Amino acid sequence: MWLLQRCLRFQRLGRDFDRPWVGVGNYSRVTMTKRKRQQGYYTKRMKSVQEGSNEEVLLADIRSLLQRSKIDGPGVTSNESGATDSEAPFERFSQVEVKIAALSSIGDGLGFSSSKSDHVFVVPFTLPGDVVEAKVVTQFANDHYTLTDFVSVLKPSPQRNDDLVRCPYFAKCSGCQFQMLSYEDQLAHKKSIVEKAYRNFSNLPIEMIPLVGDTIGSPLQYGYRTKLTPHFDGPPGSRVRRGRKDGPEQPGFEQVPPIGFMVKGTRKTMDIEDCPIATDAVREGLKQERKRVAEELSKYKRGATVLLRETTTKAPAQPQGPPATTDDPQPISNETDSSNQPPQALQTTSSPTSTTTTKTYITDQNATATEHIGPYTFLNPAGAFFQNNNSILETFTSYIRSHILPPQPSTTSTLTTNNTTRKPPKPIKHLIDTYSGSGLFSITLSPFFTTTLGIDISSTSIASASLNAAQNAIPNATFTTGDAADIFAEAKTRYDGDGDGADECVVVIDPPRKGCDDGFLRQLLGFRPQRVVYVSCNVHTQARDVGVLVRGGRREGWGLEGEKGKKEEVKVDDDGTGGIGNGKGMPRVRYRIESLRGFDFFPQTGHVEGVAILQRVDDDEGNE
């Protein structure tokens, strides 16, 4: 019996029955290996990463830096053969001196130690030229890089100016990366992010990518965020017992937990009493909500997220009393709002004869938040998506308006290209706003078009957009809930009845961070709009998608029928041209990039909003 139990034990360990003592030795080595991995002697193996994710973007920057440092680029890819991971260059949690050589597209510094010139250290809150002390956290030896925590600056970069920092939590909180960097340098870096995105992810030759315009900055570098979502974790053990119906009662809080945001590089919540990048109303909301949570702590058995969304109302200025002479915020009023709104409100008077603007905050995600962009008013559920920097929205929408239509054509009736005479493109009369949300583009661009059609797969968003069109008295804007499998069905019925393509249409795309899926891009190419404006909060997935449109549907791993994993092929249409047509013998559809530019919606952070303007290339234009 004893021998049988022993054999079963080694069977579970996968050992050789005939040599049990070797099995015991192997078991010891396995245990030691696990401990070494936990202590950082061994390194993690890079898992597959999602397209456009921070991991993919960071890895591209690391490989580029290694190549510039004369390290073999292909040799630093992940170990795909299943071989044993190599040993990490430094013990976990040890400190290492790093000289920062570059700034990555995700906002972290990339540098080398004096003892390891073929291994990149990723150090947050650093700038090129900094010499810093960093703590080793997670190592990827097969990919030649290590993630670290910032400890201290040993020798500052010429670009570093710590006097610019306004937040006591900077260099710990995960929210901001660049408070020590001048705003001019922040904008220059964000321009380079767009440039690198198209160089690394568009899969286009450099001659097909135009020069990227200078990044357009935000009028406010602090006090601009109209939405914050601080959170707090539940008491110890609350997550374990959450799903147990017959388990012991969940423990309550013994003290007020940290309420705020994540510590950089961790899942740990950091207590944040104030956030200077938020608007004054939202900052006041944070103060009041922290106080409320402390007073009502006994009601919570688990963690929670607090919504703080600014809402703005405008009313005619009161004729009584002396008029305000500045736009500076006035003292917070003590009036109580009967609509379950917080009692605090910030008031400004834009001019003695115009309107009084009152800003307050909302904590109910189903309550209505109001935004004003120039002459337009937008009403949205407070928990729904809307751009979080109102100060730049008028500049942003004005830029889109000035580029939504093509440059004025020649005064002659024909154009000549490659010794071929062709007619000028038809004038654009219709706007199709995909991923329309609450109608930002449909409404602000409506004066330039005969009709505007907003399409979104969310019925809630369509309801908000229709409400906003009525609120702003926009008669030519309509909205419809689209089917992802045939998103342009309504647009085809309206504008492409003859099947010759939507020559009089421009399409605006503003997708989520993951970008457009293959099906959407195929449908867009099949719809054949004359012009495309692609707005994105992730310029890396934008570059990938724009590359597909410029190549006319060809992408790695995607045949022209959209089957992933299918070998690249070129379909020949009836007229002998290759590419995606409309199924009726139409020639290949592809686009050229007219302009690229970034917008800084989030100063002090590594995020940049990208705008790409695309013009359809007709078959008689050759390879222009």
Side-chain angles (χ1 to χ4, degrees), residues 11 190 240 454 513:
Q11 184 181 24
K190 294 185 181 187
V240 175
R513 289 191 60 82

Side-chain angles (χ1 to χ4, degrees), residues 84-103:
T84 304
D85 293 342
S86 58
E87 287 201 15
F90 292 91
E91 183 179 352
R92 192 180 188 194
F93 302 134
S94 64
Q95 294 191 5
V96 57
E97 182 178 310
V98 179
K99 183 173 182 179
I100 304 302
L103 196 55

Side-chain angles (χ1 to χ4, degrees), residues 164-170 173-179 186 218 220-228 261 272 274-283 286 310 388-391 601-607:
L164 298 174
V165 176
R166 296 192 189 181
C167 180
Y169 310 105
F170 181 69
C173 174
S174 58
C176 297
Q177 294 86 44
F178 295 148
Q179 290 193 22
Q186 289 185 40
S218 170
L220 296 177
Q221 289 89 59
Y222 286 89
Y224 64 83
R225 276 200 71 113
T226 56
K227 179 184 177 183
L228 287 180
F261 308 106
I272 303 290
D274 188 23
C275 181
I277 66 172
T279 64
D280 289 341
V282 171
R283 293 173 75 177
L286 178 59
E310 181 180 274
N388 293 337
N389 182 350
N390 184 277
S391 73
F601 273 75
F602 299 100
Q604 319 307 330
T605 78
H607 299 288

Side-chain angles (χ1 to χ4, degrees), residues 90-254:
F90 292 91
E91 183 179 352
R92 192 180 188 194
F93 302 134
S94 64
Q95 294 191 5
V96 57
E97 182 178 310
V98 179
K99 183 173 182 179
I100 304 302
L103 196 55
S104 74
S105 294
I106 66 170
D108 295 338
L110 307 177
F112 301 95
S113 71
S114 58
S115 61
K116 197 73 175 175
S117 61
D118 62 345
H119 191 93
V120 175
F121 290 85
V122 182
V123 190
F125 313 113
T126 59
L127 299 173
D130 277 338
V131 179
V132 299
E133 194 79 15
K135 182 189 294 185
V136 173
V137 177
T138 306
Q139 308 187 68
F140 299 90
N142 292 318
D143 292 285
H144 289 229
Y145 78 96
T146 292
L147 301 179
T148 71
D149 284 341
F150 170 79
V151 177
S152 63
V153 176
L154 303 178
K155 181 180 178 181
S157 162
Q159 287 185 297
R160 176 180 287 274
N161 183 357
D162 290 328
D163 292 337
L164 298 174
V165 176
R166 296 192 189 181
C167 180
Y169 310 105
F170 181 69
K172 293 182 181 178
C173 174
S174 58
C176 297
Q177 294 86 44
F178 295 148
Q179 290 193 22
M180 72 300 199
L181 186 62
S182 73
Y183 194 53
E184 180 182 13
D185 288 340
Q186 289 185 40
L187 296 179
H189 172 63
K190 294 185 181 187
K191 177 181 177 180
S192 74
I193 292 176
V194 180
E195 292 171 337
K196 288 191 292 183
Y198 278 81
R199 187 166 63 243
N200 294 335
F201 296 100
S202 70
N203 197 23
L204 293 174
I206 193 67
E207 61 270 15
M208 298 185 76
I209 304 173
L211 294 177
V212 176
D214 292 337
T215 305
I216 295 179
S218 170
L220 296 177
Q221 289 89 59
Y222 286 89
Y224 64 83
R225 276 200 71 113
T226 56
K227 179 184 177 183
L228 287 180
T229 52
H231 64 273
F232 59 93
D233 298 324
S238 61
R239 291 184 178 180
V240 175
R241 295 184 176 92
R242 182 179 301 175
R244 298 182 182 178
K245 295 181 180 179
D246 56 348
E249 184 180 352
Q250 293 186 359
F253 289 95
E254 296 182 358

